[in-house]
Amino acid sequence: MAKTRMMLVTAVETLDEEKVERLVKIGLERGADPLDIIEDVRQGMERVGYLYKQEKYYIADLIMASLIFQRVLTIIPSTHNKQNKDSCLKSQVVIGTVEGDIHDIGKNITVGLLRARGVGVVDMGVDVPPESFIKAVQENGAKILGLSGLLTSSYELMRTTTQSLKELGLRSDVQVMIGGLVNNDVREYVGADYCATDCAFGVKLCQRILNIDVDSLPPLAGVL
Ligand code: B12
């Protein structure tokens, strides 16, 4: 299994769409956890990004990589935009990609998983200015604000958003969670509560914050 997983990472890195598709199907047939498959493809994308940075790949290759990921998401049975009937509550999470940033693959996966786990989500899309996030949090009484960003310039926008919440006296009502190309240093700079570079971890955190009984729900792999 480990060998197939490594092959999948490499197939994404080399932008071999057919091979990626084949390996994903083999993985699913052998009972692999869809979240592991997503993680392998994400790692392959990271390598594509590295090659782009090294100027060995071009923007067209980044686009190709994102098309490959989107193809993978169509192969993995998805619950995107499908709410879990039993525990569908009001929108407790507002999520979006910050202003100036249009990367949305990871954000979309996170939204799909949250919905599948019974969390109400307002998906703001991409290139979302701080004031739109604030408005959505207020209108929905959201308990969690998820900010996604993959550009270095996104950190400043995340910080502005968090500071605006503070200035409006809303900061203590909402937990801010950042995701994408972020780490704990970024979290501190931004003034967020949590940092999640893995959607499964982020979703579990949300469930914990919202007191959704994690054990009463089907396993993530079963609902993806
Ligand atoms: C695909 C891609 C693109 C695609 C995006 C398509 C799309 N619809 O999203 C396209 C081609 C459009 C693109 C454009 C650009 N890109 Co780009 N791109 C990438 C690439 C290769 C992969 C990103 C990706 O989708 N990864 C897979 C997903 C699944 O991973 P993820 O986003 O991290 O999400 C996971 C977690 O973080 C988490 N998550 C994500 N969000 C959230 C939110 C919350 C709340 C939670 C809990 C969890 C969570 O869930 C996911 C699963 O676990 C990265 C390389 C890299 N290292 O990531 C470069 C990269 C991000 N891009 C980069 C650049 C420079 C650009 C461009 C400026 C290029 C250009 N010259 O035009 C533009 C910018 C456009 C813009 N204004 O945003 C740089 C950024 C450098 C920097 N530090 O600023 C990178 C790092 C490449 C590099 N090494 O140089 N890009």
Side-chain angles (χ1 to χ4, degrees):
M1 196 72 119
K3 197 176 160 206
T4 316
R5 291 189 66 175
M6 208 51 238
M7 281 166 72
L8 179 55
V9 176
T10 309
V12 175
E13 180 185 6
T14 52
L15 302 171
D16 189 337
E17 190 175 10
E18 269 177 38
K19 196 166 183 182
V20 170
E21 195 171 330
R22 204 167 58 243
L23 289 169
V24 169
K25 283 179 179 161
I26 291 172
L28 288 172
E29 275 161 26
R30 290 183 183 167
D33 185 335
L35 282 177
D36 287 339
I37 294 177
I38 286 175
E39 178 53 22
D40 295 341
V41 180
R42 193 198 62 76
Q43 278 182 30
M45 302 279 273
E46 212 175 293
R47 293 190 183 186
V48 171
Y50 177 74
L51 290 166
Y52 172 75
K53 203 173 162 191
Q54 302 284 307
E55 297 184 354
K56 289 182 179 144
Y57 272 179
Y58 301 97
I59 185 78
D61 299 308
L62 293 187
I63 295 169
M64 185 62 199
S66 73
L67 292 175
I68 290 179
F69 210 137
Q70 272 148 16
R71 176 85 193 108
V72 169
L73 293 178
T74 65
I75 301 170
I76 294 178
S78 161
T79 52
H80 283 201
N81 305 320
K82 196 167 84 182
Q83 296 272 2
N84 180 318
K85 274 192 267 141
D86 302 332
S87 47
C88 172
L89 304 167
K90 68 186 179 96
S91 298
Q92 306 122 321
V93 180
V94 165
I95 188 170
T97 303
V98 300
E99 189 170 12
D101 194 335
I102 59 162
H103 294 87
D104 67 352
I105 298 174
K107 188 263 301 166
N108 291 344
I109 296 172
T110 307
V111 169
L113 274 180
L114 281 168
R115 288 184 173 152
R117 302 310 305 264
V119 178
V121 182
V122 178
D123 182 358
M124 306 285 295
V126 298
D127 193 17
V128 183
E131 55 275 20
S132 302
F133 278 123
I134 309 280
K135 196 166 170 237
V137 165
Q138 285 178 310
E139 281 175 3
N140 294 282
K143 298 235 173 341
I144 301 171
L145 173 61
L147 303 174
S148 186
L150 277 87
L151 300 174
T152 315
S153 53
S154 299
Y155 306 155
E156 206 50 50
L157 271 299
M158 289 176 172
R159 186 177 154 101
T160 310
T161 309
T162 314
Q163 279 178 344
S164 302
L165 279 173
K166 211 171 171 181
E167 282 158 20
L168 292 166
L170 299 167
R171 187 65 186 86
S172 56
D173 301 337
V174 59
Q175 303 280 310
V176 179
M177 194 178 291
I178 57 168
L181 267 190
V182 291
N183 57 34
N184 206 43
D185 290 342
V186 175
R187 184 195 65 72
E188 274 186 22
Y189 177 73
V190 162
D193 300 290
Y194 304 99
C195 162
T197 51
D198 169 343
C199 56
F201 172 70
V203 170
K204 274 198 184 135
L205 263 177
C206 290
Q207 288 178 269
R208 202 152 294 154
I209 294 166
L210 299 168
N211 283 323
I212 295 175
D213 181 6
V214 180
D215 297 330
S216 73
L217 294 162
L220 278 173
V223 293
L224 249 176

